[in-house]
Amino acid sequence: MMVPPEDRIFRGYLPSGDVERLYPARVARIARGELTYAEKGSINEEASRIDAEWRGGHFNGIEYLHFRFAEQGATMAAFLLKERLHRVIPRSTQAPTPGEVEAEWRRMAKERDVILAWARSTKLLMEIVQTYRFERRQGAFSYAAHRAAAQVVETADRTLSDPMTYAGVCIEWAEREYRGWFWRCAPNHQVL
């Protein structure tokens, strides 16, 4: 019988740093629209078939599925495309083709560049990120902290159509580029 390494945590809540360390293969699914219960079940079933210990989460319209090995992530990514389980159109049940999913990832990459350029030019990038971190330090859950960061965006420019996306892009950028610093925002300097 294989004994798990001592640093593995199998059940319960895991801080994001542990998820990243223990489940480094991350698959992203565009999750703006709605899935049926059967579709949600098929994702959970396939993920569990691939790796019974997989982890998942949502942020800024993207569902992330975390696996221990790159091959597992590749298998899940192929499954999501083949079964047409991405949802590109907000609040829609329409299943896009693989080409439409590819086009949406490209559009989102361009949008991310525009948003980061806006945040830098307005000198709001760090204020948005720090608002999120402050709210998390006060005990807010991710969505509430994200909403507070979006309020900074909305206050700065009321003409923007989706302040949540703007805030989310800035938060994801900071988390990716400065991970250790980013998550040192929990009470008593614990790392989330």
Side-chain angles (χ1 to χ4, degrees), residues 9 13 21-22 29 57 59 87 93-94 100 106 110 118 121 137 157 167 181:
I9 300 170
Y13 174 77
R21 181 173 53 83
L22 298 171
R29 181 183 77 81
F59 188 77
R87 292 296 179 267
T93 59
Q94 180 181 343
E100 291 168 331
R106 289 177 194 267
K110 288 178 185 172
W118 173 87
S121 71
R137 181 166 176 76
D157 189 344
W181 164 82

Side-chain angles (χ1 to χ4, degrees), residues 106-140:
R106 289 177 194 267
R107 187 202 66 75
M108 288 168 56
K110 288 178 185 172
E111 178 185 53
R112 192 169 26 256
D113 292 342
V114 168
I115 290 170
L116 288 172
W118 173 87
R120 288 179 179 117
S121 71
T122 60
K123 306 211 183 323
L124 289 173
L125 179 59
M126 289 315 294
E127 183 177 345
I128 293 164
V129 171
Q130 289 290 49
T131 299
Y132 179 87
R133 292 179 77 239
F134 175 79
E135 292 296 323
R136 291 303 302 261
R137 181 166 176 76
Q138 299 303 329

Side-chain angles (χ1 to χ4, degrees), residues 9-26:
I9 300 170
F10 290 98
R11 298 283 182 248
Y13 174 77
L14 281 179
S16 65
D18 286 345
V19 170
E20 183 176 278
R21 181 173 53 83
L22 298 171
Y23 303 90
R26 184 171 86 163

Side-chain angles (χ1 to χ4, degrees), residues 27 46 72-84 86:
V27 177
E46 181 67 9
Q72 294 171 325
T75 300
M76 189 66 190
F79 174 80
L80 293 172
L81 272 178
K82 179 178 171 265
E83 298 299 319
R84 299 180 65 188
H86 290 271

Side-chain angles (χ1 to χ4, degrees), residues 39-164:
E39 289 168 330
K40 289 177 191 176
S42 71
I43 289 173
N44 291 337
E45 187 177 295
E46 181 67 9
S48 293
R49 186 193 67 71
I50 293 169
D51 184 357
E53 298 177 34
W54 72 280
R55 297 290 178 150
H58 287 83
F59 188 77
N60 207 31
I62 306 292
E63 177 182 15
Y64 295 101
L65 300 120
H66 302 268
F67 297 94
R68 292 179 290 165
F69 304 105
E71 297 81 12
Q72 294 171 325
T75 300
M76 189 66 190
F79 174 80
L80 293 172
L81 272 178
K82 179 178 171 265
E83 298 299 319
R84 299 180 65 188
L85 293 168
H86 290 271
R87 292 296 179 267
V88 174
I89 301 170
R91 295 174 294 285
S92 169
T93 59
Q94 180 181 343
T97 66
E100 291 168 331
V101 171
E102 171 87 21
E104 183 58 15
W105 284 122
R106 289 177 194 267
R107 187 202 66 75
M108 288 168 56
K110 288 178 185 172
E111 178 185 53
R112 192 169 26 256
D113 292 342
V114 168
I115 290 170
L116 288 172
W118 173 87
R120 288 179 179 117
S121 71
T122 60
K123 306 211 183 323
L124 289 173
L125 179 59
M126 289 315 294
E127 183 177 345
I128 293 164
V129 171
Q130 289 290 49
T131 299
Y132 179 87
R133 292 179 77 239
F134 175 79
E135 292 296 323
R136 291 303 302 261
R137 181 166 176 76
Q138 299 303 329
F141 288 108
S142 181
Y143 181 79
H146 188 175
R147 186 76 219 126
Q151 189 62 47
V152 171
V153 173
E154 193 171 6
T155 300
D157 189 344
R158 298 211 181 270
T159 64
L160 298 175
S161 62
D162 191 1
M164 286 290 279

